[in-house]
Structures are given as C-alpha cells and as structure tokens.
Amino acid sequence: MIPSTVKNRDLPTSAPQQDVKMAPLTVGDVLKMTRLEHGDPLNHRRMRHFSWVENECSSLKGRIDYINKTTSRIIESIPLRESPVTLVSLGSGGLLTEYIIHQQLKKAAYRQLYWRVIDLDYQNSGYEQCRKDFKVEAGNENVKAFTTEQAYFRKSIDHNFLSDNDKNQGAVVVLNVSPPRAITDSSSTADYDSDCMLIRGRPIEEAEKANGIYLLMASPASKEDLLNVKKALSEGDSIVYLDCALNCSVNSSGKVVVIHSPSPTGRALNEGIKPYVDKLEGVANSVGRKIDLLNLNKSLEGFVDEMNSRGAFALKFLVSDYDTSLDKLREYFLDGNNPVIFATFDNNECSFT
C-alpha cells in the first residue's frame, strides 16, 4: 500500500503556541466531576459512562500523577500544537483516563488529536456507550476502537493501513496502563515463587486477532486446575502466576519468540517444542516464506498430542497477550521517522521511553 508522507522524527524545539499555560490536574478536580463506585473485587471511578479501575495498584493520586506527567511529556516533546498527534491506548477500558488527557491537551491548544483505543472488552458491544461518548468529545472520525493490536494493524483506510498512516503522519504516543487487577493464583498449579511466570493474556477464538499461544502442562490429576486457569483468563478479571506455562509468539521477521516459566516444567516445555519449531522453521526457509502464528499453532498441535499420549496433560490456546501487544506496538512505531513516546503506568509508578 502507498505510504503517507513521512515527517522527520526531530521536530522543532520551539513554537509560538508553547506559551499556552495549562494548570495540572488535581485530586479536587477529579473528585468534583467523578464518583467512586465500590465493588468486589474492583472499585470503579465513574464520570457519566466513562470509568477507570481504582485500587491500591492504581490509586487516584497515582492516576492523576500519570495524567499530568504524560501531558507534560507530550508538551515538552511535541511543541508544535498544529502537528498531528496519534495516541494509541492499550487496555483503554472505560476511557476516563483518555478523556481527561484529551481535555488537558485541548487546553494546551493541540488541535489534531487522533485516538486508537484497544481493549478486548470492546468485543460483543462492550463499553459501547462509553466509546460513543468519547467519539463525541474527540471527534467521530478521530477515534477508532479495536479489540486487539492485531485488529488495529490490519485496519485499512483510504487504500492504506491505518497504522501506517498514523506512524507516518506525525508523532505517536502509546499509553500503557498495565491491567490494575488483583493477581489471582488460586486457580494456578503452584503458589508464586521464582519458578513462576506471570500470564495476563486473554484466550481468543479469532486467530487473526491473536498475538500468541499459551501452552500449559501438568499431570492429568491437575487437568481441572489448568482448565480453570483458562476460564479465569477468559473472564478477564484475573492475571495468573504459573510454574508450568510457555508463551509463544512470532516477531515481525517471522521468528518464533518463546518465554517460559523458569521451573523444571517450564524448561521441559521449552525443550519439548524445539523439534516442532525447528521443523517449522526449516520448511519456512525452504519455501522462502515467513512463519505466522497460524503455522506455529498448527505445528504445536503435534507437541500437545505427543504429551497427552505420554500421560501428561497439555493445554494449548490462542491468546491476545498484553505484554506481547505492547512489544508489537513498540517494535512497530519505533521503526519510523517521527517522535514516539511510550507512557507507562504500572503499580502506581510512571515511566517514559
């Protein structure tokens, strides 16, 4: 597809608009326009249909600090207010954070703000009214919502990929608000320790929207435990530590990337899939084609069948993995010529790269 005009990553460091003053957001400001709705296990702060999750890992003060630091970083790094800025929010949910950031940037005189909001909870009309309200606030044509980053990458518009347009037309800000959910290991096969790895993906049926594969393995006696892990992940209210997990994905070069639990079971999983991955890579090289996730998924079916025939229980399913999504967005946007900001909020800590 034909790329848009490419702009240089090094923008001017001064502009007449930079004298616009913007007061930072305060706790009082947010308390005036929102209400806290207590729930079990999650509390939600709401304003009309907008919301965010609020708890000890994502406090009101922490969230406000993130909003203020993010808007300040944008103003410092992207001083030209008339330049287009695309904000890609991963795990955007109820869009209250995005709404307030948008309002703050408008006050700072930014005029071309484009939003790409990504959350698996948007499937089956989730947060529908919230998304409609956000489009009213930010401009209907300026907001696009997706269930996964893969759906975003595949979206075409005006004979081009939307993501290519976004990357090439101006600066990009990726908002990474890590899932503020209580860690649940009640359904895992082991208590958390150094042998475990964190998995916080969601099983997904539509293969073209998946970005990874989870492999879990245990004894047949633990079959129900592993099925409960998948169920908990599917419901979207848990992230889980496991000592018997492996996450496979495929990078942009068509190479298989594997992360596994540090435990003996995790290492055994990693060693066990190697012959299947090696064979797949050999075939791909011989025909001059890149491996994709569907190829990998098909190949790993052989490993699952082998493990089950040996008396173990192996469980494989496609996922949209949060950390893989972030890696994919980072890899994609850094391969461009315009400014990119990654703004992370995790466990009440803000960081920028």
Side-chain angles (χ1 to χ4, degrees):
M1 294 185 176
I2 301 172
S4 304
T5 302
V6 176
K7 300 186 178 181
N8 192 281
R9 191 185 291 276
D10 299 320
L11 290 178
T13 56
S14 62
Q17 302 99 316
Q18 70 180 21
D19 293 329
V20 175
K21 301 297 182 182
M22 183 193 67
L25 189 70
T26 67
V27 170
D29 294 333
V30 176
L31 291 177
K32 285 179 183 177
M33 61 185 181
T34 66
R35 69 185 190 281
L36 185 62
E37 183 179 282
H38 295 278
D40 183 17
L42 302 176
N43 300 327
H44 289 83
R45 185 162 296 280
R46 299 189 184 277
M47 187 195 72
R48 304 198 307 270
H49 292 101
F50 300 116
S51 66
W52 68 43
V53 171
E54 197 166 296
N55 58 19
E56 68 278 2
C57 297
S58 178
S59 68
L60 175 59
K61 288 184 178 180
R63 184 83 66 154
I64 291 172
D65 186 48
Y66 174 69
I67 291 171
N68 284 332
K69 287 181 176 178
T70 298
T71 52
S72 294
R73 181 59 65 97
I74 292 171
I75 290 169
E76 292 169 4
S77 304
I78 312 167
L80 292 179
R81 306 300 205 267
E82 298 302 323
S83 298
V85 180
T86 300
L87 297 102
V88 181
S89 182
L90 181 63
S92 44
L95 292 170
L96 181 55
T97 301
E98 291 74 12
Y99 169 82
I100 295 176
I101 288 175
H102 185 82
Q103 294 304 314
Q104 293 293 91
L105 291 176
K106 281 178 62 178
K107 291 176 185 176
Y110 286 90
R111 293 292 176 260
Q112 294 192 67
L113 299 173
Y114 301 91
W115 285 91
R116 314 301 179 222
V117 294
I118 303 170
D119 200 299
L120 264 172
D121 285 335
Y122 294 156
Q123 60 189 340
N124 302 320
S125 301
Y127 290 101
E128 183 175 17
Q129 190 57 53
C130 166
R131 287 182 281 136
K132 287 181 178 178
D133 289 352
F134 191 61
K135 287 183 176 182
V136 170
E137 298 293 337
N140 187 65
E141 294 304 314
N142 298 335
V143 179
K144 305 292 182 186
F146 304 92
T147 53
T148 69
E149 91 287 351
Q150 295 301 309
Y152 168 49
F153 289 146
R154 286 181 167 84
K155 176 67 175 178
S156 60
I157 185 169
D158 296 332
H159 307 291
N160 198 10
F161 286 118
L162 176 64
S163 56
D164 283 348
N165 286 346
D166 293 340
K167 179 167 67 173
N168 294 328
Q169 75 174 347
V172 174
V173 181
V174 177
L175 305 178
N176 163 31
V177 179
S178 294
R181 297 166 178 154
I183 293 174
T184 301
D185 42 29
S186 60
S187 60
S188 69
T189 59
D191 293 333
Y192 170 65
D193 58 34
S194 59
D195 276 345
C196 295
M197 69 177 285
L198 174 68
I199 58 174
R200 49 182 181 174
R202 294 272 291 276
I204 191 165
E205 297 298 327
E206 298 174 83
E208 69 275 8
K209 294 184 179 181
N211 62 18
I213 300 166
Y214 284 173
L215 266 174
L216 314 180
M217 188 172 72
S219 68
S222 299
K223 176 179 178 178
E224 287 302 316
D225 290 330
L226 295 192
L227 292 174
N228 285 336
V229 167
K230 183 180 179 182
K231 182 175 183 292
L233 293 171
S234 297
E235 291 170 351
D237 59 1
S238 298
I239 53 180
V240 182
Y241 279 112
L242 284 176
D243 69 343
C244 58
L246 180 147
N247 176 15
C248 290
S249 59
V250 181
N251 65 20
S252 61
S253 299
K255 299 298 183 182
V256 177
V257 179
V258 178
I259 303 172
H260 61 85
S261 302
S263 68
T265 302
R267 293 195 297 271
L269 273 170
N270 186 43
E271 289 299 318
I273 69 168
K274 278 186 177 179
Y276 295 89
V277 173
D278 289 345
K279 181 178 179 180
L280 179 62
E281 289 179 340
V283 171
N285 290 335
S286 68
V287 298
R289 297 179 64 178
K290 289 183 179 180
I291 295 172
D292 62 29
L293 198 63
L294 290 180
N295 301 146
L296 180 60
N297 189 49
K298 182 67 175 176
S299 181
L300 292 180
E301 287 177 5
F303 171 76
V304 171
D305 291 341
E306 180 185 352
M307 290 301 99
N308 291 341
S309 70
R310 291 185 178 185
F313 176 69
L315 180 64
K316 174 182 66 67
F317 48 94
L318 290 163
V319 295
S320 177
D321 179 80
Y322 187 89
D323 297 298
T324 302
S325 296
L326 184 59
D327 288 343
K328 297 283 189 185
L329 290 168
R330 186 183 303 277
E331 180 183 36
Y332 179 77
F333 284 114
L334 287 179
D335 184 28
N337 297 303
N338 289 313
V340 183
I341 299 171
F342 289 88
T344 298
F345 179 60
D346 191 9
N347 200 22
N348 282 320
E349 295 293 328
C350 307
S351 61
F352 299 89
T353 56

